Amino acid sequence: MSVTPEVLVGGVIAGGAITPEALADAAYAFGLWTGWGVLHSVLATRRVKAAVELVAGPLRFPLYPLGYTVISLWTFYLVLQKEPDLPQMLWFVQGAASYALYAVQAAGLGLLSWAAFTVDGLAFLGLRQLGQLLRGHPPQAADPERDFRTTGAYGFVRHPMHLGGILFLTCQPHMTLQALVFAVFGCLYIVLGSLLEERRMAWALGERWEAYCRRVPMFVPGPRP
């Protein structure tokens, strides 16, 4: 599955043609990631949460988010092991342009970290609830009204974690076919997840969410009204 000789275009080395075999492997890899995305989404549904509540009782508060994270990471690792190797280089940005792309990626990671601190990342993963349980305190249930944040990263855009992920995935100076497959899947999954989250928050918060949407953009920062 070799490519034709690379061609230098300004500061970018562009890869050559991709073989049909490589495209078939890319489609297979995209299918694997799509399967992971479906599982990840099903585990986040209200029916699964209700089933965990029925079985685990009070333990559901730490067990569900922690179990969700562990299963997601474990299945993510399994997909990585099954994913075909697609080393074909599509582009290789050099010089000042590569540093600019790295800077955008770093900004994406910074935005993601900022958002995690804004919403209490330990609670998001279930670790804070587990600590409360181990200390003998009743863990708090998730509450959209209480947990809703409009400050920090969430005063910048409505989905800062998702925007950070998109910036990191799309601004890669060295893009192989394998990286492109994951970037395309990741961006599509992030956008779809954001739309579903918008609907869930609108249902849970009503006018409070609508007012927030009028004030803060979804993804693209801009001047505030």
Side-chain angles (χ1 to χ4, degrees), residues 49-65:
K49 292 180 181 178
V52 173
E53 291 179 3
L54 183 64
V55 173
L59 288 174
R60 68 186 181 273
F61 302 128
L63 286 184
Y64 174 77

PDB file of all heavy atoms in Angstrom, residues 49-65:
ATOM      1  N   LYS A  49     -28.735   4.614  32.268  1.00  0.00           N
ATOM      2  CA  LYS A  49     -28.593   5.225  33.589  1.00  0.00           C
ATOM      3  C   LYS A  49     -29.657   4.711  34.544  1.00  0.00           C
ATOM      4  O   LYS A  49     -29.378   4.424  35.714  1.00  0.00           O
ATOM      5  CB  LYS A  49     -28.677   6.745  33.472  1.00  0.00           C
ATOM      6  CG  LYS A  49     -27.504   7.383  32.744  1.00  0.00           C
ATOM      7  CD  LYS A  49     -27.677   8.895  32.684  1.00  0.00           C
ATOM      8  CE  LYS A  49     -26.521   9.540  31.927  1.00  0.00           C
ATOM      9  NZ  LYS A  49     -26.688  11.011  31.816  1.00  0.00           N
ATOM     10  N   ALA A  50     -30.892   4.582  34.062  1.00  0.00           N
ATOM     11  CA  ALA A  50     -31.974   4.084  34.908  1.00  0.00           C
ATOM     12  C   ALA A  50     -31.718   2.638  35.326  1.00  0.00           C
ATOM     13  O   ALA A  50     -32.005   2.255  36.469  1.00  0.00           O
ATOM     14  CB  ALA A  50     -33.309   4.195  34.172  1.00  0.00           C
ATOM     15  N   ALA A  51     -31.176   1.832  34.409  1.00  0.00           N
ATOM     16  CA  ALA A  51     -30.862   0.444  34.747  1.00  0.00           C
ATOM     17  C   ALA A  51     -29.782   0.370  35.825  1.00  0.00           C
ATOM     18  O   ALA A  51     -29.858  -0.450  36.749  1.00  0.00           O
ATOM     19  CB  ALA A  51     -30.415  -0.308  33.498  1.00  0.00           C
ATOM     20  N   VAL A  52     -28.772   1.238  35.719  1.00  0.00           N
ATOM     21  CA  VAL A  52     -27.719   1.278  36.737  1.00  0.00           C
ATOM     22  C   VAL A  52     -28.299   1.706  38.083  1.00  0.00           C
ATOM     23  O   VAL A  52     -27.956   1.150  39.138  1.00  0.00           O
ATOM     24  CB  VAL A  52     -26.582   2.229  36.309  1.00  0.00           C
ATOM     25  CG1 VAL A  52     -25.570   2.395  37.439  1.00  0.00           C
ATOM     26  CG2 VAL A  52     -25.888   1.701  35.060  1.00  0.00           C
ATOM     27  N   GLU A  53     -29.211   2.664  38.071  1.00  0.00           N
ATOM     28  CA  GLU A  53     -29.847   3.107  39.303  1.00  0.00           C
ATOM     29  C   GLU A  53     -30.631   1.972  39.949  1.00  0.00           C
ATOM     30  O   GLU A  53     -30.625   1.806  41.169  1.00  0.00           O
ATOM     31  CB  GLU A  53     -30.772   4.288  39.014  1.00  0.00           C
ATOM     32  CG  GLU A  53     -30.049   5.570  38.634  1.00  0.00           C
ATOM     33  CD  GLU A  53     -31.013   6.696  38.335  1.00  0.00           C
ATOM     34  OE1 GLU A  53     -32.244   6.477  38.492  1.00  0.00           O
ATOM     35  OE2 GLU A  53     -30.565   7.784  37.953  1.00  0.00           O
ATOM     36  N   LEU A  54     -31.317   1.183  39.136  1.00  0.00           N
ATOM     37  CA  LEU A  54     -32.126   0.090  39.651  1.00  0.00           C
ATOM     38  C   LEU A  54     -31.260  -0.977  40.307  1.00  0.00           C
ATOM     39  O   LEU A  54     -31.619  -1.534  41.350  1.00  0.00           O
ATOM     40  CB  LEU A  54     -32.946  -0.518  38.505  1.00  0.00           C
ATOM     41  CG  LEU A  54     -33.922  -1.637  38.882  1.00  0.00           C
ATOM     42  CD1 LEU A  54     -35.011  -1.097  39.810  1.00  0.00           C
ATOM     43  CD2 LEU A  54     -34.548  -2.242  37.620  1.00  0.00           C
ATOM     44  N   VAL A  55     -30.105  -1.260  39.715  1.00  0.00           N
ATOM     45  CA  VAL A  55     -29.239  -2.323  40.218  1.00  0.00           C
ATOM     46  C   VAL A  55     -28.341  -1.841  41.352  1.00  0.00           C
ATOM     47  O   VAL A  55     -28.168  -2.525  42.367  1.00  0.00           O
ATOM     48  CB  VAL A  55     -28.377  -2.893  39.067  1.00  0.00           C
ATOM     49  CG1 VAL A  55     -27.356  -3.886  39.603  1.00  0.00           C
ATOM     50  CG2 VAL A  55     -29.253  -3.554  38.016  1.00  0.00           C
ATOM     51  N   ALA A  56     -27.772  -0.651  41.218  1.00  0.00           N
ATOM     52  CA  ALA A  56     -26.729  -0.198  42.148  1.00  0.00           C
ATOM     53  C   ALA A  56     -27.254   0.648  43.300  1.00  0.00           C
ATOM     54  O   ALA A  56     -26.551   0.812  44.301  1.00  0.00           O
ATOM     55  CB  ALA A  56     -25.668   0.585  41.383  1.00  0.00           C
ATOM     56  N   GLY A  57     -28.454   1.201  43.195  1.00  0.00           N
ATOM     57  CA  GLY A  57     -28.964   2.033  44.277  1.00  0.00           C
ATOM     58  C   GLY A  57     -28.081   3.249  44.498  1.00  0.00           C
ATOM     59  O   GLY A  57     -27.652   3.905  43.543  1.00  0.00           O
ATOM     60  N   PRO A  58     -27.770   3.586  45.769  1.00  0.00           N
ATOM     61  CA  PRO A  58     -26.948   4.772  46.049  1.00  0.00           C
ATOM     62  C   PRO A  58     -25.554   4.716  45.423  1.00  0.00           C
ATOM     63  O   PRO A  58     -24.927   5.755  45.212  1.00  0.00           O
ATOM     64  CB  PRO A  58     -26.862   4.792  47.579  1.00  0.00           C
ATOM     65  CG  PRO A  58     -28.040   4.007  48.042  1.00  0.00           C
ATOM     66  CD  PRO A  58     -28.244   2.945  47.004  1.00  0.00           C
ATOM     67  N   LEU A  59     -25.073   3.507  45.142  1.00  0.00           N
ATOM     68  CA  LEU A  59     -23.746   3.387  44.544  1.00  0.00           C
ATOM     69  C   LEU A  59     -23.704   3.903  43.106  1.00  0.00           C
ATOM     70  O   LEU A  59     -22.633   4.057  42.533  1.00  0.00           O
ATOM     71  CB  LEU A  59     -23.292   1.921  44.559  1.00  0.00           C
ATOM     72  CG  LEU A  59     -22.910   1.332  45.923  1.00  0.00           C
ATOM     73  CD1 LEU A  59     -22.621  -0.153  45.781  1.00  0.00           C
ATOM     74  CD2 LEU A  59     -21.706   2.058  46.500  1.00  0.00           C
ATOM     75  N   ARG A  60     -24.881   4.175  42.570  1.00  0.00           N
ATOM     76  CA  ARG A  60     -24.928   4.587  41.154  1.00  0.00           C
ATOM     77  C   ARG A  60     -24.215   5.904  40.923  1.00  0.00           C
ATOM     78  O   ARG A  60     -23.689   6.146  39.832  1.00  0.00           O
ATOM     79  CB  ARG A  60     -26.374   4.695  40.675  1.00  0.00           C
ATOM     80  CG  ARG A  60     -27.168   5.830  41.313  1.00  0.00           C
ATOM     81  CD  ARG A  60     -28.635   5.757  40.887  1.00  0.00           C
ATOM     82  NE  ARG A  60     -29.453   6.832  41.431  1.00  0.00           N
ATOM     83  CZ  ARG A  60     -30.047   6.792  42.603  1.00  0.00           C
ATOM     84  NH1 ARG A  60     -29.875   5.733  43.387  1.00  0.00           N
ATOM     85  NH2 ARG A  60     -30.801   7.780  43.021  1.00  0.00           N
ATOM     86  N   PHE A  61     -24.198   6.790  41.931  1.00  0.00           N
ATOM     87  CA  PHE A  61     -23.630   8.119  41.724  1.00  0.00           C
ATOM     88  C   PHE A  61     -22.145   8.061  41.382  1.00  0.00           C
ATOM     89  O   PHE A  61     -21.704   8.735  40.457  1.00  0.00           O
ATOM     90  CB  PHE A  61     -23.891   9.000  42.944  1.00  0.00           C
ATOM     91  CG  PHE A  61     -25.351   9.150  43.262  1.00  0.00           C
ATOM     92  CD1 PHE A  61     -25.824   8.898  44.529  1.00  0.00           C
ATOM     93  CD2 PHE A  61     -26.262   9.530  42.284  1.00  0.00           C
ATOM     94  CE1 PHE A  61     -27.178   9.022  44.830  1.00  0.00           C
ATOM     95  CE2 PHE A  61     -27.609   9.656  42.572  1.00  0.00           C
ATOM     96  CZ  PHE A  61     -28.074   9.406  43.849  1.00  0.00           C
ATOM     97  N   PRO A  62     -21.330   7.253  42.112  1.00  0.00           N
ATOM     98  CA  PRO A  62     -19.935   7.132  41.676  1.00  0.00           C
ATOM     99  C   PRO A  62     -19.730   6.069  40.613  1.00  0.00           C
ATOM    100  O   PRO A  62     -18.858   6.197  39.755  1.00  0.00           O
ATOM    101  CB  PRO A  62     -19.191   6.770  42.960  1.00  0.00           C
ATOM    102  CG  PRO A  62     -20.194   6.042  43.779  1.00  0.00           C
ATOM    103  CD  PRO A  62     -21.512   6.695  43.463  1.00  0.00           C
ATOM    104  N   LEU A  63     -20.541   4.991  40.655  1.00  0.00           N
ATOM    105  CA  LEU A  63     -20.272   3.852  39.770  1.00  0.00           C
ATOM    106  C   LEU A  63     -20.583   4.166  38.315  1.00  0.00           C
ATOM    107  O   LEU A  63     -19.850   3.730  37.418  1.00  0.00           O
ATOM    108  CB  LEU A  63     -21.074   2.625  40.224  1.00  0.00           C
ATOM    109  CG  LEU A  63     -20.575   1.916  41.476  1.00  0.00           C
ATOM    110  CD1 LEU A  63     -21.415   0.676  41.748  1.00  0.00           C
ATOM    111  CD2 LEU A  63     -19.107   1.519  41.326  1.00  0.00           C
ATOM    112  N   TYR A  64     -21.678   4.902  38.060  1.00  0.00           N
ATOM    113  CA  TYR A  64     -22.035   5.127  36.660  1.00  0.00           C
ATOM    114  C   TYR A  64     -20.996   5.961  35.924  1.00  0.00           C
ATOM    115  O   TYR A  64     -20.475   5.523  34.888  1.00  0.00           O
ATOM    116  CB  TYR A  64     -23.419   5.755  36.526  1.00  0.00           C
ATOM    117  CG  TYR A  64     -23.722   6.119  35.087  1.00  0.00           C
ATOM    118  CD1 TYR A  64     -24.090   5.123  34.182  1.00  0.00           C
ATOM    119  CD2 TYR A  64     -23.562   7.417  34.623  1.00  0.00           C
ATOM    120  CE1 TYR A  64     -24.320   5.437  32.850  1.00  0.00           C
ATOM    121  CE2 TYR A  64     -23.793   7.732  33.303  1.00  0.00           C
ATOM    122  CZ  TYR A  64     -24.172   6.739  32.413  1.00  0.00           C
ATOM    123  OH  TYR A  64     -24.376   7.043  31.098  1.00  0.00           O
ATOM    124  N   PRO A  65     -20.632   7.168  36.395  1.00  0.00           N
ATOM    125  CA  PRO A  65     -19.637   7.940  35.637  1.00  0.00           C
ATOM    126  C   PRO A  65     -18.274   7.265  35.594  1.00  0.00           C
ATOM    127  O   PRO A  65     -17.585   7.318  34.570  1.00  0.00           O
ATOM    128  CB  PRO A  65     -19.582   9.287  36.372  1.00  0.00           C
ATOM    129  CG  PRO A  65     -20.142   9.022  37.716  1.00  0.00           C
ATOM    130  CD  PRO A  65     -21.135   7.930  37.548  1.00  0.00           C
TER     131      PRO A  65
END
